[in-house]
Amino acid sequence: MYVAQPIEWTDRGVVMLDQRRLPAEESYCTYTDYHEVAKAIREMVIRGAPAIGVAAAMGAALGVQYSSAKSVEALRGEFAEICETLAKTRPTAVDLFWALERMKRRFGHLTEKTSDLAKIKLGMAEEAQRIHLEKRATDEAIGRFGAEFMPREGQVMTQCNAGALATAGIGSALGVIRVAFEQGRKLHVLVPETRPYLQGARLTAWELHKGGIPLTLITDNMVGHFLKSGKVGAVVTGADRIAANGDTANKIGTYQIAVLAKENKVPFYIAAPISTFDLSLPDGEHIPIEERSAAEVTHLKGLRIAPDVPAANPAFDVTPARYIVAIFTERGVARAPYKESLRALAEVPQQHVASRV
Ligand code: MRU
């Protein structure tokens, strides 16, 4: 089945599928400068929490690879600046900071063991590619755990785009749907368009259609109507950051879907990697919410659709844990009380972060 490739490390540089141009055009951008990677993340060439993490890791590796530093000391100074630039791109998705922390750890190990700059550059490139590779395995495991919770047949709903485009694997929420579909479950996906940036209409509809998974595109204000119909068997969305108590930040609109799902007795699930946990935050009140440009609300493809008035554009909202029936991760399924279940999953030893020179 078709799996989109939003990002790739190549000899020419970091190649990204330009998601701003989908579905009209499949065009690619190649970056050799980490500043350009930071701009690409900020401007949504690549988006979706885990994919942003992969992009940040590759940006960090690119910065090291193209550095003209002549000593480890000079490179260390530059590397701090590289990480700071990448960290300032988007505030909500914690995968970005997770990936940068991992790249910093690797840089530390490498520079402790060698002062050979070529070796350090190679080691950083390898680490970024390893993070990318792991995403696929992570998504597949999430998909296997989550698929069990999908109905044998009928409608399921998602929000935004939590597919391959958003994770650089097979997708988190869409990965669950994909695995369930491949197991023979006869699913039909309801895709809210996800105003204002239209990740549902432009990206999820494109991915599902290319993958041959049946779907119906709906506008965001149809969500309640469909959840009340008695025909939706489950809702599954991704996450940008999950606090210690299970409160979950995801694309704006997710909260109202979760409330309406509970009201209509439709189970609401989150599918997300452990890298999306932020157990340092006690609850969702502490999650920073990105405010994007008002022009994304007042304009569509450059065309003004509202008068010149103030417009709000919080890119994410927080769904309180009480609306979430279960959280699917690569290490298993967390259920309430999330404070204990999330910590238990996070504490499983991570062999994959073991470092080598
Ligand atoms: O603003 P975006 O497009 O980066 O927001 C993406 C989402 O909210 C996704 O649902 C989330 O990152 C989970 S992706 C697997």
Side-chain angles (χ1 to χ4, degrees):
M1 195 185 284
Y2 176 78
V3 181
Q5 294 289 348
I7 186 164
E8 208 186 336
W9 179 275
T10 74
D11 294 341
R12 290 168 291 123
V14 175
V15 179
M16 290 186 202
L17 172 59
D18 190 344
Q19 298 191 31
R20 297 168 307 180
R21 296 184 185 276
L22 289 172
E25 210 181 289
E26 274 178 58
S27 59
Y28 292 83
C29 308
T30 303
Y31 303 111
T32 52
D33 180 339
Y34 77 89
H35 291 100
E36 292 173 350
V37 171
K39 189 162 178 271
I41 297 172
R42 203 176 314 112
E43 295 183 356
M44 313 277 268
V45 172
I46 190 157
R47 29 66 52 204
I52 291 172
V54 174
M58 288 191 183
L62 205 59
V64 169
Q65 181 155 338
Y66 284 87
S67 161
S68 51
K70 299 276 178 287
S71 68
V72 171
E73 255 340 286
L75 185 60
R76 188 171 286 119
E78 262 188 53
F79 183 61
E81 202 176 308
I82 292 165
C83 291
E84 212 172 296
T85 304
L86 290 160
K88 281 191 193 137
T89 50
R90 295 196 70 193
T92 304
V94 78
D95 288 77
L96 172 82
F97 307 100
W98 170 87
L100 289 175
E101 278 313 308
R102 182 140 156 207
M103 294 303 284
K104 282 181 197 169
R105 245 187 350 256
R106 185 71 182 131
F107 186 82
H109 286 139
L110 284 162
T111 51
E112 246 170 46
K113 292 192 178 163
T114 180
S115 52
D116 180 337
L117 293 175
K119 256 190 173 175
I120 295 169
K121 290 179 182 192
L122 182 66
M124 294 300 282
E126 283 173 353
E127 185 72 350
Q129 290 172 83
R130 200 173 295 132
I131 288 175
H132 187 192
L133 265 181
E134 286 167 13
K135 289 291 159 199
R136 198 170 182 117
T138 298
D139 282 359
E140 279 166 7
I142 295 171
R144 280 194 299 276
F145 284 118
E148 299 300 311
F149 292 76
M150 294 297 104
R152 299 252 147 240
E153 61 182 309
Q155 294 176 352
V156 293
M157 189 181 282
T158 187
Q159 165 71 340
C160 190
N161 171 265
L165 290 171
T167 66
I170 63 162
S172 52
L174 290 194
V176 168
I177 291 171
R178 179 187 289 270
V179 171
F181 186 78
E182 284 170 350
Q183 287 173 349
R185 294 178 200 236
K186 296 182 175 52
L187 300 182
H188 188 108
V189 189
L190 292 177
V191 179
E193 59 181 354
T194 317
R195 277 276 290 149
Y197 208 70
L198 300 175
Q199 289 94 331
R202 297 190 304 106
L203 309 176
T204 297
W206 180 80
E207 268 198 67
L208 291 172
H209 184 60
K210 278 208 127 178
I213 300 177
L215 74 133
T216 299
L217 179 64
I218 61 174
T219 63
D220 299 326
N221 50 0
M222 295 175 191
V223 158
H225 170 81
F226 281 99
L227 287 172
K228 190 147 75 65
S229 70
K231 292 184 185 153
V232 183
V235 179
V236 57
T237 80
D240 284 83
R241 197 184 287 228
I242 302 175
N245 70 342
D247 290 354
T248 295
N250 192 48
K251 180 53 55 193
I252 192 78
T254 304
Y255 169 47
Q256 65 200 25
I257 297 178
V259 174
L260 283 162
K262 188 162 186 171
E263 165 72 14
N264 291 288
K265 301 188 171 42
V266 178
F268 176 91
Y269 302 114
I270 293 290
I274 307 279
S275 54
T276 300
F277 292 6
D278 185 351
L279 304 186
S280 73
L281 302 184
D283 57 51
E285 289 297 305
H286 295 80
I287 300 177
I289 301 293
E290 176 182 10
E291 183 73 29
R292 292 186 63 84
S293 144
E296 288 179 1
V297 177
T298 55
H299 291 68
L300 266 182
K301 291 223 163 269
L303 184 73
R304 182 175 274 287
I305 55 159
D308 193 6
V309 293
N313 191 7
F316 303 94
D317 58 26
V318 174
T319 298
R322 65 180 177 280
Y323 293 106
I324 303 168
V325 173
I327 299 176
F328 312 140
T329 77
E330 69 272 34
R331 298 196 196 140
V333 177
R335 286 185 179 272
Y338 288 111
K339 219 170 159 202
E340 285 89 65
S341 58
L342 296 182
R343 185 155 297 283
L345 285 176
E347 276 168 4
V348 174
Q350 278 180 278
Q351 295 119 344
H352 64 264
V353 295
S355 291
R356 298 166 294 277
V357 175

